[in-house]
Amino acid sequence: MTMRPIRIIGDPVLRTGCEPVTTFDAELRALVTDLMDTLLGAPGRAGVAAPQIGVSAQVFVYDADGHRGHLINPTLELSDELQDDEEGCLSIPGLYFPTVRALHATAHGVDQHGEPLTIAGSGFLARALQHETDHLGGRLYVDTLRGDTRRRALREIRAGRFDSPSRRR
């Protein structure tokens, strides 16, 4: 089992769009395994994207609403119907803010062998699919916040009011 450290906000890899995966080999399968080990290695995790472990590749794993798996090179179809619920991120530990997302999402991509894969979900699974796909484009959930909520989130991040590794010492 290889749990990889999670990159924290401020690391440039989290703000850089990832390249699509074009080679489906043992190295990619090892990445998917490391992502899944990192996801399942600590309680309460719903997803981990490759940039969160320092890898610029369009790959993420998820474990939400009884669905577990991985997706490579995802595209999303989103419903017009919205949900508004608390959201957090392993890369901004300890901060949670109400975040508007589509209520239903369908993600299309491929698996680690290059075979087509579609994942459809509502509620928490839809939220996780959107959140992880955002990571692959260099976006964090706080980028979707608006108004006072966004100002409060940015203030807390600038002040270092999240549970960063340096604050846990």
Side-chain angles (χ1 to χ4, degrees), residues 98-159:
T99 306
V100 176
R101 296 279 190 182
L103 181 60
H104 309 284
T106 302
H108 302 280
V110 296
D111 68 12
Q112 61 189 328
H113 305 288
E115 297 298 320
L117 190 58
T118 298
I119 304 149
S122 298
F124 188 62
L125 178 57
R127 179 176 294 280
L129 294 172
Q130 293 167 78
H131 181 108
E132 300 309 326
T133 300
D134 278 354
H135 274 300
L136 305 181
R139 292 179 304 276
L140 298 171
Y141 85 99
V142 293
D143 299 332
T144 70
L145 303 177
R146 299 287 175 253
D148 288 340
T149 303
R150 180 173 174 77
R151 285 187 286 281
R152 191 175 88 224
L154 295 178
R155 212 173 21 252
E156 290 189 31
I157 290 167
R158 276 192 299 274

Side-chain angles (χ1 to χ4, degrees), residues 72-93:
I72 299 167
N73 300 334
T75 60
L76 290 177
E77 294 175 33
L78 303 174
S79 71
D80 291 332
E81 193 176 358
L82 301 176
Q83 60 176 313
D84 188 358
D85 204 354
E86 293 285 306
E87 192 165 323
C89 180
L90 298 173
S91 294
I92 314 172

Side-chain angles (χ1 to χ4, degrees), residues 16-31:
T16 305
C18 298
E19 293 298 316
V21 172
T22 57
T23 305
F24 297 84
D25 57 6
E27 186 177 331
L28 176 63
R29 289 188 292 282
L31 173 61

